[in-house]
Amino acid sequence: MKNILITGGAGFIGSHVVRLYTNKYPDYHIFNLDALTYAGNLENLSDVEKMPNYTFLKGDIKDINYINGIFEKYRFDAVIHLAAESHVDRSIVDPNAFIETNVLGTANLLNAFKNLWQGNYEGKLFYHVSTDEVYGALGKEGLFKETTPYDPQSPYSASKAASDHLVRAYGNTYGMPFNISNCSNNYGPNQFPEKLIPLFIHNIRNRKNLPVYGDGQYTRDWLYVTDHAKAIDTVFHTGIRNETYNIGGLNEWANLNLIKLLCEKMDAKLAQPAGTAAELITYVKDRAGHDRRYAIDNTKIQTELGWKPEMTFQEGLEKTVDWYLNNETWLNNVTSGAYQKYYAEMYES
Ligand code: NAD
Ligand code: DAU
């Protein structure tokens, strides 16, 4: 049996990776390490928590003593590292939180993995989950390739770029086997309602304004979250070690077009006259340093590893809207702080 540490497994993408791995690989023991920040929520894993091959570890990747202790105790064969501060707007307000978790936290995990295996890395892997934002912003043309030079523009993307560089440096200097994947914008169930799609679903439901930054022509390449989880699984099992893979949905949308589509779907679901949700669209001050466009060239992972996105955007958005409308309690809990009570009852009583 392999012991696999997944960090950030109570968050949005991490919870889908934990679900995939616990179900698909009964011979792996999955340890989910999460600090349960505002973005981490064990309710995301209520269907997984009693599985015999799953253990939750509440801890902070910034805490070097704790990290060293769990590596010594559980002797992780592989790490899939997702824990991070992940929201660009928060990084503009409090950059240090991002430097501490994303850079120093990643360094703590790398050091613990290095100290544990002492150069005997046969069958071991440090897999770092990163973002396309490290490449900076595109103009109207072009796509991010694995060879695109790094040019991060926000404190968030700079902290992720720094962590990517550290992972490569440990591979080069200490011979540590690693993979890095850089993915485009994810959407789907369990995403914290600070990010565009869940925030706007929540606001339409509650008849609150939809704050569109700038001219609304900023463009993102959207991928359904379970497609990302499957891509991580593909790289983990079949990726060439020490290679980087870009992951994207081949699905570019200018924000305003996406928001209009979302409004149409919400009008239909809420059985309200067409145009009702769109009345809430409100142009607000732009995000500082806002990256104009992201788009991924995923040729490498498609041709070399055979992964491709499965979910169409129409279907994925439909599923996402349905999930949020059917999980109002989840939404109310994560927005009200009641989740803290859930955690105390679940794990501290
Ligand atoms: P998220 O914010 O939903 O979840 C992050 C998780 O990490 C939470 O459960 C949180 O409690 C945990 N965490 C935060 N700080 C921690 C710490 N110091 N110690 C331990 N746990 C901590 O994020 P997400 O959107 O699921 O993103 C996961 C990863 O994927 C991140 O590394 C992010 O950079 C990357 N990524 C995200 C996207 C996207 O569109 N969301 C796209 C590409 C890459
Ligand atoms: O590209 C991958 C990245 O995608 C991940 O690394 C990040 O963790 C993830 O948060 C996401 O970053 P973005 O900044 O692209 O996502 P966000 O949902 O915050 O914003 C999407 C677009 O919508 C962006 O152009 C900003 C705009 N926006 C966002 C919010 C929250 C608005 O116009 N209004 C809003 O209220």
Side-chain angles (χ1 to χ4, degrees), residues 24-72:
K24 190 170 172 188
Y25 301 110
D27 287 348
Y28 292 172
H29 197 98
I30 303 304
F31 293 84
N32 168 18
L33 166 66
D34 200 296
L36 300 181
T37 68
Y38 76 93
N41 186 345
L42 289 178
E43 279 184 84
N44 294 345
L45 290 168
S46 51
D47 56 326
V48 167
E49 65 196 1
K50 298 222 157 48
M51 291 181 73
N53 62 338
Y54 173 74
T55 301
F56 175 66
L57 303 170
K58 184 174 188 298
D60 194 321
I61 60 170
K62 299 194 294 292
D63 182 346
I64 183 65
N65 292 329
Y66 175 79
I67 293 298
N68 283 336
I70 58 168
F71 273 73
E72 278 161 28

Side-chain angles (χ1 to χ4, degrees), residues 7-14 33-41 59-62 81-87 101 129-132 156 160 182-187 190-192 194-195 228:
T7 71
F12 167 48
I13 301 168
L33 166 66
D34 200 296
L36 300 181
T37 68
Y38 76 93
N41 186 345
D60 194 321
I61 60 170
K62 299 194 294 292
H81 175 36
L82 296 109
E85 291 291 342
S86 70
H87 191 39
T101 287
V129 176
S130 193
T131 170
D132 61 356
Y156 163 68
K160 291 295 291 187
N182 297 84
C183 189
S184 64
N185 286 61
N186 285 216
Y187 71 102
N190 305 100
Q191 187 169 33
F192 196 83
E194 63 186 355
K195 309 277 167 63
H228 187 190

Side-chain angles (χ1 to χ4, degrees), residues 86 131-133 156 185 195-196 211 213 220 255 287 290:
S86 70
T131 170
D132 61 356
E133 299 199 11
Y156 163 68
N185 286 61
K195 309 277 167 63
L196 181 73
Y213 296 162
R220 298 292 184 263
N255 291 340
R287 171 185 283 176
H290 200 167

Side-chain angles (χ1 to χ4, degrees), residues 73-201:
K73 182 168 180 189
Y74 300 112
R75 304 186 65 76
F76 304 119
D77 299 291
V79 177
I80 305 178
H81 175 36
L82 296 109
E85 291 291 342
S86 70
H87 191 39
V88 174
D89 291 332
R90 286 181 189 254
S91 83
I92 295 167
V93 178
D94 182 11
N96 275 22
F98 285 67
I99 296 162
E100 285 160 15
T101 287
N102 299 358
V103 186
L104 298 176
T106 301
N108 287 341
L109 293 168
L110 287 164
N111 286 328
F113 198 66
K114 176 167 87 65
N115 293 341
L116 174 64
W117 296 114
Q118 304 272 335
N120 300 313
Y121 288 123
E122 184 66 36
K124 313 297 179 223
L125 176 64
F126 192 101
Y127 185 148
H128 181 57
V129 176
S130 193
T131 170
D132 61 356
E133 299 199 11
V134 298
Y135 299 121
L138 293 165
K140 284 201 171 72
E141 302 295 322
L143 300 171
F144 294 135
K145 298 177 192 304
E146 287 80 359
T147 50
T148 302
Y150 275 34
D151 187 22
Q153 297 295 320
S154 73
Y156 163 68
S157 53
S159 70
K160 291 295 291 187
S163 62
D164 292 11
H165 289 319
L166 279 174
V167 174
R168 287 198 187 91
Y170 275 60
N172 180 60
T173 308
Y174 305 113
M176 181 186 290
F178 72 88
N179 283 113
I180 298 175
S181 52
N182 297 84
C183 189
S184 64
N185 286 61
N186 285 216
Y187 71 102
N190 305 100
Q191 187 169 33
F192 196 83
E194 63 186 355
K195 309 277 167 63
L196 181 73
I197 290 177
L199 176 71
F200 279 32
I201 293 172

